[in-house]
Amino acid sequence: MIKSKYVTQVCTSCGRESKMAIIGAVVGAENKIWYRCTRCHHSMMLDTNLNKKDDSVITYNREECVDYTPDKIFIVGSSIYHTDWDDMGKITSKEKTSNGGNAIWVEFEKNGTKKLIENLQLAD
Ligand SMILES: [Zn+2]
């Protein structure tokens, strides 16, 4: 969906960051749009995917996530699901806590980076 009629892009013709007027969609290429530079009036086709940071977005699959409980031992790189937060995340690293316990760093989809306890030994 195009929200504004103009986008700011570096023009391939004049090489300057310019306001680009959206002319229209490219027939047969749904991710490409025709733009016209408001400085030099050069028309160019731009890939709308370039503006998205697709490669930095991790998509989580609920079925691949292990439910988080503090007593479990987790593997770095695996996906977990936090039931209380209803949030999925990826384990990025492990750490020893100051009291000798184990912790995992998790990059959560909604909550961001969080440190969670793992391998919790319940006191008897
Ligand atoms: Zn230009």
Side-chain angles (χ1 to χ4, degrees):
M1 280 288 118
I2 300 155
K3 283 175 190 155
S4 66
K5 216 174 169 296
Y6 292 93
V7 291
T8 305
Q9 278 278 354
V10 175
C11 175
T12 55
S13 177
C14 63
R16 296 166 75 179
E17 196 169 87
S18 317
K19 259 168 91 178
M20 300 284 170
I22 296 163
I23 304 167
V26 176
V27 177
E30 55 190 42
N31 294 322
K32 290 186 173 136
I33 292 175
W34 282 106
Y35 292 92
R36 186 187 292 120
C37 177
T38 54
R39 278 186 210 270
C40 67
H41 304 289
H42 175 80
S43 301
M44 73 207 79
M45 197 168 65
L46 290 176
D47 197 327
T48 55
N49 281 339
L50 295 175
N51 294 325
K52 292 180 199 161
K53 290 173 181 170
D54 280 331
D55 48 356
S56 66
V57 176
I58 309 161
T59 48
Y60 299 100
N61 184 351
R62 177 66 186 92
E63 275 128 52
E64 287 171 10
C65 293
V66 179
D67 287 1
Y68 169 75
T69 55
D71 57 318
K72 278 184 188 164
I73 297 170
F74 297 93
I75 302 155
V76 173
S78 61
S79 301
I80 69 166
Y81 176 72
H82 199 293
T83 45
D84 290 347
W85 300 342
D86 184 31
D87 203 358
M88 291 179 277
K90 203 170 205 80
I91 300 159
T92 54
S93 62
K94 289 197 181 202
E95 181 184 295
K96 283 269 176 200
T97 61
S98 52
N99 58 7
N102 296 290
I104 49 170
W105 283 98
V106 185
E107 189 86 42
F108 278 104
E109 206 173 19
K110 293 184 235 169
N111 290 284
T113 307
K114 296 277 176 195
K115 189 163 105 171
L116 298 170
I117 299 297
E118 72 154 4
N119 193 18
L120 181 71
Q121 308 294 319
L122 296 168
D124 37 39

